[in-house]
Structures are given as C-alpha cells and as structure tokens.
Amino acid sequence: MDFQLTEEQLAVQAAAREFAQSELWDGVIERDEHQKFPAEQIKKMGELGFMGMMVSPEYGGGGMDTVSYVLAMEEISKVDASCSVIMSVNNSLVCWGLEKYGTEEQKRKYLPGLTSGEIIGAFALSEPEAGSDATMQRTTAEDKGDHYLLNGTKNWITNGTTASVYLVIAQTNAEAKHRGINVLIVDKGMEGFVTGPKENKLGIRGSDTCSLMFNDVKVPKENRIGEDGFGFKFAMQVLAGGRIGIAAQALGIASGSYELALKYSKERKAFGVPISQHQAIQFKLADMATNIDAARLLCLQAAHDKDAHQDYAKSGAMAKLFASKVAMDTAVEAVQVHGGYGFVKEYHVERLMRDAKITQIYEGTSEIQKIVISREILK
Ligand code: CAA
C-alpha cells in the first residue's frame, strides 16, 4: 500500500472538509434534535459529486477511487454522520451495486439521477426476522412470467421515506435457500408499496429510517439485477464494500470527537492551567490519537484492496470492526474531557457519542464482522 495520498485524493479530502465545515456545521444540532432530513445539504453533496463518487463519468459519477471516498466520508462524518450515512448507502450499496451488476438500461435509467443527488437510493435487506441471518428472507418475489409479485416487510431501511429507488432482496425459490433469492429494483409509487413512519432513533437522527411494506407489488422482470438467484451474493458483495464506507464514517465520528476534545482541553482551565496540561487528559488524548491513526490505516488498507481489485471482505470487516469501536470509545472519552459541558447539546460531543453506536450495528454488527474475518482467516 502506498502511504502517500495523490494530489487528486488530497484535493477531494480538502473539498469535503471545506464543504462539511461551511455547509454542514451550522444547523447540525437542530437537524439532529428535530430529526430533520438534510434535503438541501444532500442536494449540494450531489452537485459536488459526493453522491456517486466511484461511478464512471459515463453515468454521471466522479470516477474516483475508494481511497478518495474514504477520505470524503471521514470529513463529512466528522461534522454530520446523518449526511454521511445517506451518502454511504447511496454510493456503496446502491450506485456501486447498480453499476457493477445492472444492465445498460438500468444504469442509464437510474445512475445519472442517483449520482447528481436528484434522487436518493435505498437498500432493503433487513426484515423483522432477518437481521444478522440474512438468508432468512421472508419477503417473497413470486415469479409470474413477465413480472415478480413482491410481498413482505423490510425493516430499518436507511433513506426509507426519502428514496425514489430501492434495491429489494426477496426470496423467489425457498427450496434453493440463499441461491433462490433475487434483488429487484422497486420504484417509489409502484402500486402496493408503502413506507412506514420514521423511526425515532438514538443517533443519526437527521437520516430517515423506516419499514417498507410490499403488498402484491408487480415488479417487471427487467427490474431484476443479475441472473435468477443472484440476490444473496449481490447483497454480500455490496455489503462488503459498504463496510468500508461505514468504517470511514466511524473514523470520522472518532476524529471529529477527538478534534473537539483537543480544542476544548486547550481552552478550558482547571487548577490554574488548561486541562490539556494535566496528565489525566493527556493520556486520553494520546489514546484517542493512536486509535484513530490505526483505524485510518485499516480503512485505507481496505480501500486500497478494493481499488487494487484484491479481496476486501476481510480488510473491510476489520476496518469496520475496529473503527466502530474506536468511534464509540473516542466519543465517550471526548464527552468525559468536556465534563458537564459534554453532556449538553451545544458542544456536539454528546451527539457524536449517540451517532457512534450505530456504526457497531448496521451493515453487520461487530459480531458479524468477526464471523466474516474468522471465516477468511480459517479458509
Ligand atoms: N461476496 C460474494 N459472495 C459471498 C460473500 C461475499 N463477500 N460472502 C458470502 N458470500 C456467498 C457465499 O459464497 C455463499 O455462496 P454459495 O453457497 O453459493 O457458495 C453464500 O454467500 C452464503 O454464504 P455463507 O454460508 O457465508 O452465509 P451465512 O448465512 O453463513 O451468512 C453472514 C454470512 C456473513 C453472517 C451474512 O449473513 C451477513 O453478512 N449478515 C449480516 C447482514 C448485514 O450486514 N445486514 C445489514 C443490513 S444493510 C444495512 O445495514 C444498510 C444500512 O441501513 C446502513
């Protein structure tokens, strides 16, 4: 792995940092408090190329590498992890999956809107009884010749109410188990498709999460991605890449928390000196900085593996496992460094602490990452 970032990668990082600081910082507390979807901000992110970073320019994307994506995700997550999860799902799960496995017609129909931020995409795998055990799909896509009849419920869907296009995983042939699962493109407005109310969440409250209900939805055959039965592999593949995005989100939450704690420790005085001069605080800052650097290296390693067309299931899972723990630990310590001020909203660290938790849960819990890593090691 080359440890030196290219000029282009540095420029992407600088652009994301500038955007996050100037456009996301103001209003982030209010969006969190009122669970307000960052519609304007996402539109601007689309205009700046952050919604389809790795998609080929032919379909309106930025044609960038995964390393650039990780750098941008970190900067945006430092300020607003709600914006970055919307960005991550759109980039990693929806755009990447469509570009890699979609037909030319599907790509031309959906990618320009998704990459420009005109429309948002969602990925629907989880169900009331199929979270970690993703093979247990109860949503059915019955083959009716020229269309599939889709029935069932999906849970915890990021961008659930705001998306226009959904990649839905459903069981067509139960006997074939995971080899009988398909992935279908479902458009908002298809008859029989409704979304549930927004979940009232602990963190990433600006992003919208809800259930999806399908009741005899007729999905044309041409909306299937890949061969019949490819849906489970599709889900595993997009999630392997998605974990790099969420690892970078966790990294950003950690580095955002650390930067706030560092700044505060130099300003706040106790016992006659800035608290940064007390060893108790210095040790916390040293631990945070070391863990963040280690998490960043794992994120860049996974991104590098993906860019080099090497297997990235293990490195992506390692990056997510480690970075999400670092996010949680660092945010908790950042609150501690702030003392009582850390417990109120205007100092931002309590929000980062709440946001951190989901990075240990979605796109596979920490336990799932350990399953993926150990299987790769033992293979
Ligand atoms: N790439 C390609 N294929 C893969 C793969 C990968 N990375 N990982 C597994 N597969 C294939 C296997 O080769 C196997 O195929 P064959 O049998 O045809 O050879 C098939 O998938 C089944 O594999 P496993 O036997 O390993 O499957 P399993 O049932 O034991 O489960 C698991 C594996 C890793 C636990 C998986 O179920 C999993 O990842 N679960 C977590 C699901 C998850 O992350 N959900 C998150 C929801 S999305 C989300 O959170 C988005 C959001 O809102 C932000």
PDB file of all heavy atoms in Angstrom, residues 279-291:
ATOM      1  N   GLN A 279      -1.981  15.350  33.195  1.00  0.00           N
ATOM      2  CA  GLN A 279      -1.648  14.063  32.574  1.00  0.00           C
ATOM      3  C   GLN A 279      -2.889  13.183  32.341  1.00  0.00           C
ATOM      4  O   GLN A 279      -2.955  12.434  31.365  1.00  0.00           O
ATOM      5  CB  GLN A 279      -0.630  13.322  33.445  1.00  0.00           C
ATOM      6  CG  GLN A 279       0.147  12.301  32.647  1.00  0.00           C
ATOM      7  CD  GLN A 279       1.215  11.631  33.465  1.00  0.00           C
ATOM      8  OE1 GLN A 279       0.958  11.172  34.586  1.00  0.00           O
ATOM      9  NE2 GLN A 279       2.418  11.571  32.940  1.00  0.00           N
ATOM     10  N   ALA A 280      -3.862  13.328  33.217  1.00  0.00           N
ATOM     11  CA  ALA A 280      -5.087  12.518  33.053  1.00  0.00           C
ATOM     12  C   ALA A 280      -5.729  12.789  31.693  1.00  0.00           C
ATOM     13  O   ALA A 280      -6.244  11.866  31.041  1.00  0.00           O
ATOM     14  CB  ALA A 280      -6.075  12.846  34.175  1.00  0.00           C
ATOM     15  N   ILE A 281      -5.683  14.041  31.253  1.00  0.00           N
ATOM     16  CA  ILE A 281      -6.264  14.400  29.951  1.00  0.00           C
ATOM     17  C   ILE A 281      -5.291  14.025  28.830  1.00  0.00           C
ATOM     18  O   ILE A 281      -5.697  13.524  27.770  1.00  0.00           O
ATOM     19  CB  ILE A 281      -6.590  15.918  29.914  1.00  0.00           C
ATOM     20  CG1 ILE A 281      -7.593  16.292  31.018  1.00  0.00           C
ATOM     21  CG2 ILE A 281      -7.113  16.348  28.533  1.00  0.00           C
ATOM     22  CD1 ILE A 281      -8.968  15.676  30.906  1.00  0.00           C
ATOM     23  N   GLN A 282      -4.019  14.251  29.057  1.00  0.00           N
ATOM     24  CA  GLN A 282      -3.017  13.925  28.023  1.00  0.00           C
ATOM     25  C   GLN A 282      -3.076  12.438  27.649  1.00  0.00           C
ATOM     26  O   GLN A 282      -2.984  12.083  26.477  1.00  0.00           O
ATOM     27  CB  GLN A 282      -1.604  14.259  28.532  1.00  0.00           C
ATOM     28  CG  GLN A 282      -1.362  15.750  28.654  1.00  0.00           C
ATOM     29  CD  GLN A 282      -0.067  16.083  29.392  1.00  0.00           C
ATOM     30  OE1 GLN A 282       0.611  15.195  29.911  1.00  0.00           O
ATOM     31  NE2 GLN A 282       0.265  17.364  29.446  1.00  0.00           N
ATOM     32  N   PHE A 283      -3.248  11.587  28.645  1.00  0.00           N
ATOM     33  CA  PHE A 283      -3.307  10.146  28.364  1.00  0.00           C
ATOM     34  C   PHE A 283      -4.541   9.820  27.497  1.00  0.00           C
ATOM     35  O   PHE A 283      -4.476   8.982  26.596  1.00  0.00           O
ATOM     36  CB  PHE A 283      -3.356   9.335  29.663  1.00  0.00           C
ATOM     37  CG  PHE A 283      -2.005   9.161  30.332  1.00  0.00           C
ATOM     38  CD1 PHE A 283      -0.884   9.838  29.872  1.00  0.00           C
ATOM     39  CD2 PHE A 283      -1.851   8.317  31.415  1.00  0.00           C
ATOM     40  CE1 PHE A 283       0.370   9.684  30.470  1.00  0.00           C
ATOM     41  CE2 PHE A 283      -0.608   8.138  32.032  1.00  0.00           C
ATOM     42  CZ  PHE A 283       0.503   8.824  31.564  1.00  0.00           C
ATOM     43  N   LYS A 284      -5.633  10.508  27.806  1.00  0.00           N
ATOM     44  CA  LYS A 284      -6.846  10.271  26.987  1.00  0.00           C
ATOM     45  C   LYS A 284      -6.575  10.705  25.536  1.00  0.00           C
ATOM     46  O   LYS A 284      -6.907   9.988  24.586  1.00  0.00           O
ATOM     47  CB  LYS A 284      -8.032  11.075  27.530  1.00  0.00           C
ATOM     48  CG  LYS A 284      -8.612  10.542  28.824  1.00  0.00           C
ATOM     49  CD  LYS A 284      -9.916  11.271  29.151  1.00  0.00           C
ATOM     50  CE  LYS A 284     -10.370  11.035  30.581  1.00  0.00           C
ATOM     51  NZ  LYS A 284     -10.619   9.631  30.898  1.00  0.00           N
ATOM     52  N   LEU A 285      -5.984  11.878  25.370  1.00  0.00           N
ATOM     53  CA  LEU A 285      -5.727  12.394  24.019  1.00  0.00           C
ATOM     54  C   LEU A 285      -4.755  11.476  23.269  1.00  0.00           C
ATOM     55  O   LEU A 285      -4.927  11.221  22.068  1.00  0.00           O
ATOM     56  CB  LEU A 285      -5.165  13.820  24.091  1.00  0.00           C
ATOM     57  CG  LEU A 285      -6.126  14.881  24.656  1.00  0.00           C
ATOM     58  CD1 LEU A 285      -5.403  16.211  24.872  1.00  0.00           C
ATOM     59  CD2 LEU A 285      -7.342  15.090  23.740  1.00  0.00           C
ATOM     60  N   ALA A 286      -3.764  10.969  23.988  1.00  0.00           N
ATOM     61  CA  ALA A 286      -2.777  10.075  23.351  1.00  0.00           C
ATOM     62  C   ALA A 286      -3.447   8.784  22.869  1.00  0.00           C
ATOM     63  O   ALA A 286      -3.201   8.315  21.750  1.00  0.00           O
ATOM     64  CB  ALA A 286      -1.658   9.755  24.331  1.00  0.00           C
ATOM     65  N   ASP A 287      -4.318   8.235  23.711  1.00  0.00           N
ATOM     66  CA  ASP A 287      -5.040   7.014  23.312  1.00  0.00           C
ATOM     67  C   ASP A 287      -5.933   7.278  22.102  1.00  0.00           C
ATOM     68  O   ASP A 287      -5.974   6.488  21.148  1.00  0.00           O
ATOM     69  CB  ASP A 287      -5.925   6.517  24.471  1.00  0.00           C
ATOM     70  CG  ASP A 287      -5.127   5.712  25.494  1.00  0.00           C
ATOM     71  OD1 ASP A 287      -4.037   5.220  25.147  1.00  0.00           O
ATOM     72  OD2 ASP A 287      -5.598   5.586  26.644  1.00  0.00           O
ATOM     73  N   MET A 288      -6.653   8.399  22.156  1.00  0.00           N
ATOM     74  CA  MET A 288      -7.562   8.725  21.041  1.00  0.00           C
ATOM     75  C   MET A 288      -6.777   8.845  19.736  1.00  0.00           C
ATOM     76  O   MET A 288      -7.143   8.245  18.725  1.00  0.00           O
ATOM     77  CB  MET A 288      -8.241  10.083  21.297  1.00  0.00           C
ATOM     78  CG  MET A 288      -9.269  10.114  22.385  1.00  0.00           C
ATOM     79  SD  MET A 288      -9.932  11.822  22.427  1.00  0.00           S
ATOM     80  CE  MET A 288     -10.794  11.805  23.956  1.00  0.00           C
ATOM     81  N   ALA A 289      -5.678   9.619  19.771  1.00  0.00           N
ATOM     82  CA  ALA A 289      -4.899   9.869  18.542  1.00  0.00           C
ATOM     83  C   ALA A 289      -4.321   8.566  17.986  1.00  0.00           C
ATOM     84  O   ALA A 289      -4.341   8.341  16.771  1.00  0.00           O
ATOM     85  CB  ALA A 289      -3.794  10.873  18.830  1.00  0.00           C
ATOM     86  N   THR A 290      -3.844   7.711  18.878  1.00  0.00           N
ATOM     87  CA  THR A 290      -3.237   6.437  18.425  1.00  0.00           C
ATOM     88  C   THR A 290      -4.297   5.542  17.779  1.00  0.00           C
ATOM     89  O   THR A 290      -4.098   4.989  16.689  1.00  0.00           O
ATOM     90  CB  THR A 290      -2.609   5.706  19.640  1.00  0.00           C
ATOM     91  OG1 THR A 290      -1.709   6.609  20.280  1.00  0.00           O
ATOM     92  CG2 THR A 290      -1.874   4.450  19.217  1.00  0.00           C
ATOM     93  N   ASN A 291      -5.436   5.421  18.459  1.00  0.00           N
ATOM     94  CA  ASN A 291      -6.506   4.571  17.920  1.00  0.00           C
ATOM     95  C   ASN A 291      -7.031   5.087  16.586  1.00  0.00           C
ATOM     96  O   ASN A 291      -7.339   4.309  15.679  1.00  0.00           O
ATOM     97  CB  ASN A 291      -7.665   4.497  18.924  1.00  0.00           C
ATOM     98  CG  ASN A 291      -7.322   3.589  20.088  1.00  0.00           C
ATOM     99  OD1 ASN A 291      -6.568   2.640  19.934  1.00  0.00           O
ATOM    100  ND2 ASN A 291      -7.867   3.886  21.258  1.00  0.00           N
TER     101      ASN A 291
END
